[in-house]
Amino acid sequence: MTSRAAPAPAASQATINVLTALLEARTGQQIAAYRSWRLDTALKPLLRARKLDTLDQLVTQLLQGSDRSIGDSIVDALVNQETSFFRDAQVFEMLAEAVADAERDGRRARIWCAGCSTGQEPLSLAMQFAERRDTGGVPMPEIVATDVSDAAVARARSGRFSQFEIQRGLPVRRMIRWFDTTGSDWAAKPELLGMVAFRRMNLVSDPAPPGQFDVVLCRNVLLYLSTDTKAEVFPKIAKAMKPGGVLVMGAGETVIGQTSAFAPSKRFRGLYEMPVQE
Amino acid sequence: MKTCLVVDDSKVIRKVARHILETLDFTVTEACDGREALASCMASIPDVILLDWNMPVMSGMDFLRALREADVPRRPKVVFCTTENGMAYIRAAIEAGADEYVMKPFDRDTLESKLQIVGMA
Ligand SMILES: C[S@@+](CC[C@H](N)C(=O)[O-])C[C@H]1O[C@@H](n2cnc3c(N)ncnc32)[C@H](O)[C@@H]1O
């Protein structure tokens, strides 16, 4: 019955359970049962690459455990890694101010991009602050960028972007200032890549990067986590922040009703801060 | 409503661009080469021009230079939209006064993103 041309048949419930459990164990993300159709679509390229016909076969390979990369590939395929340069552009203007505030006592500011995907977000910050350095002589902030996906971190470190990716959100003058063409791809100049420290890190199960941050961006990352998991992640982020630091979430996200570790910022509309303890 | 003049010798590209621009609330006019585009601008200046580079009569570059010399009431935003994606072309376009640059092939996200950058979407 199964032929390559036919659509992949619906997977067994046992298979769906294994895949959702794998995703939740690795990332804390939950796929509600009603969205399990997404598994089919998301994993189709992986099935093709591994010359398999069904999700059941994929899960059999996974459970046999002979190929460790298969679990990573499944998780990478299921996680939404959508991002773009200067996503929600107004955020970057506010961060210019927030960083300047943090530098007031002469210290170098520190920024953490938690869930940086393929690197567009930290590289946008790097470009913005490198240009400020070049025109105003202000030192660069330190930028640390982390993601749970090995594949995303590897791509971010490579600094290579397709023609479609490079054109989303990136003004052309910045593109030619900070990137070189290599065939049909665009590659971040080593100078730019060197301004960001990329690391693999799971927000749910790994410790936060060492030191304290003035700004944390955790945009479009937590929205698939369960309420309980979020309740653990917010305090972890808060502990990694300096008093008065700001947290940036995605345009459709909020901390309200999710945690008492953060409250809406009075200075920056749409951003969050730790409430001041009396 | 915002207006956009799409200048391209390919009917297919004009149709695709028109479709995307209309979903972004633009009123679209079309021209199939630089000379037609210049005539269109003399009649009425659009807010944005989406400009191909290579066209049989008056290239995008020649059009841009001519537009600069022309007696028009205001300067539209100019977004090159071309298969020329080498660094030298992009630099030349910026020097000639282009505001943004789209490398073909493009999709809705690309176009919307570039229009946002020039403050038009
Ligand atoms: C939709 S992208 C958002 C990228 C970027 N922050 C933005 O807003 O454009 C979400 C990223 O979060 C990462 N992610 C998901 N769960 C994570 C976890 N538990 N720990 C760290 N990163 C995680 C994914 O791998 C993915 O790259």
Side-chain angles (χ1 to χ4, degrees):
Chain A
M1 273 283 287
T2 40
S3 95
R4 275 270 144 86
S12 69
Q13 190 57 48
T15 285
I16 293 176
N17 292 349
V18 170
L19 292 170
T20 50
L22 173 74
L23 182 68
E24 180 157 15
R26 293 278 190 97
T27 68
Q29 293 197 22
Q30 295 186 316
I31 300 189
Y34 70 90
R35 291 189 67 211
S36 56
W37 56 267
R38 223 196 116 217
L39 294 174
D40 268 14
T41 334
L43 291 171
K44 209 168 271 168
L46 185 58
L47 288 184
R48 215 173 298 129
R50 295 197 163 243
K51 300 197 165 46
L52 300 172
D53 289 320
T54 65
L55 292 183
D56 290 343
Q57 291 169 349
L58 183 70
V59 164
T60 307
Q61 281 201 354
L62 170 75
L63 296 176
Q64 278 165 353
S66 50
D67 180 354
R68 302 218 46 178
S69 71
I70 200 165
D72 294 345
S73 310
I74 293 173
V75 172
D76 285 336
L78 292 182
V79 161
N80 175 350
Q81 298 191 330
E82 165 144 0
T83 187
S84 58
F85 289 100
F86 295 94
R87 187 176 193 173
D88 308 327
Q90 332 75 274
V91 162
F92 289 82
E93 289 161 27
M94 286 193 277
L95 289 184
E97 259 185 72
V99 164
D101 276 3
E103 292 164 333
R104 209 161 278 158
D105 55 4
R107 278 180 310 105
R108 192 175 167 212
R110 299 188 76 224
I111 306 176
W112 174 23
C113 290
C116 65
S117 190
T118 40
Q120 284 89 329
E121 181 177 89
L123 291 176
S124 300
L125 291 164
M127 284 183 258
Q128 167 167 327
F129 288 108
E131 288 162 14
R132 182 188 69 156
R133 175 201 62 190
D134 293 346
T135 54
V138 189
M140 279 296 287
E142 183 185 341
I143 305 172
V144 178
T146 63
D147 199 281
V148 70
S149 159
D150 277 317
V153 172
R155 278 211 49 210
R157 278 201 184 113
S158 78
R160 291 178 84 100
F161 299 94
S162 71
Q163 191 172 295
F164 277 106
E165 290 167 330
I166 201 78
Q167 299 201 80
R168 275 191 69 188
L170 187 60
V172 66
R173 286 176 181 75
R174 280 188 162 141
M175 182 179 86
I176 62 173
R177 162 76 179 85
W178 295 108
F179 293 81
D180 289 318
T181 37
T182 57
S184 63
D185 278 358
W186 290 77
K189 294 191 172 161
E191 182 202 353
L192 179 67
L193 269 185
M195 295 170 189
V196 181
F198 291 103
R199 294 211 183 92
R200 203 207 76 92
M201 181 217 146
N202 186 335
L203 268 170
V204 178
S205 53
D206 295 328
Q212 289 195 304
F213 293 90
D214 300 287
V215 171
V216 177
L217 295 92
C218 188
R219 303 194 298 164
N220 311 297
V221 177
L222 302 181
L223 64 180
Y224 307 108
L225 301 189
S226 72
T227 315
D228 290 351
T229 314
K230 274 192 241 185
E232 290 167 26
V233 170
F234 279 119
K236 185 188 277 188
I237 295 176
K239 261 181 83 176
M241 286 171 63
K242 294 200 179 113
V246 296
L247 170 69
V248 191
M249 303 203 50
E253 298 178 286
T254 180
V255 305
I256 297 165
Q258 316 266 356
T259 180
S260 54
F262 291 98
S265 164
K266 294 206 174 66
R267 293 178 297 162
F268 302 108
R269 197 159 168 221
L271 308 194
Y272 300 95
E273 286 172 31
M274 284 184 277
V276 186
Q277 318 269 277
E278 296 302 315
Chain B
M1 241 176 19
K2 300 161 292 182
T3 52
C4 183
L5 171 63
V6 176
V7 191
D8 203 303
D9 56 339
S10 154
K11 201 174 162 186
V12 177
I13 297 278
R14 291 200 307 270
K15 197 173 155 192
V16 171
R18 169 187 283 276
H19 178 74
I20 297 173
L21 287 160
E22 285 178 348
T23 67
L24 296 170
D25 286 338
F26 279 90
T27 303
V28 178
T29 47
E30 297 179 20
C32 60
D33 57 51
R35 195 157 66 197
E36 236 184 73
L38 203 56
S40 169
C41 287
M42 297 317 268
S44 141
I45 275 283
D47 297 314
V48 193
I49 301 173
L50 199 63
L51 184 61
D52 188 17
W53 193 299
N54 292 308
M55 292 174 290
V57 184
M58 193 185 251
S59 72
M61 268 310 222
D62 290 340
F63 162 79
L64 198 50
R65 294 196 187 101
L67 183 68
R68 263 200 329 217
E69 315 271 282
D71 180 24
V72 286
R74 66 196 159 91
R75 220 186 74 75
K77 297 284 180 192
V78 175
V79 178
F80 258 105
C81 182
T82 167
T83 46
E84 304 295 356
N85 53 15
M87 214 47 123
Y89 281 95
I90 301 176
R91 282 189 205 289
I94 293 174
E95 263 159 43
D99 298 283
E100 262 303 333
Y101 203 96
V102 171
M103 298 176 280
K104 287 178 188 163
F106 61 90
D107 60 5
R108 189 182 191 281
D109 282 349
T110 310
L111 207 51
E112 183 175 13
S113 157
K114 291 294 185 179
L115 289 166
Q116 268 167 5
I117 289 171
V118 298
M120 281 291 155

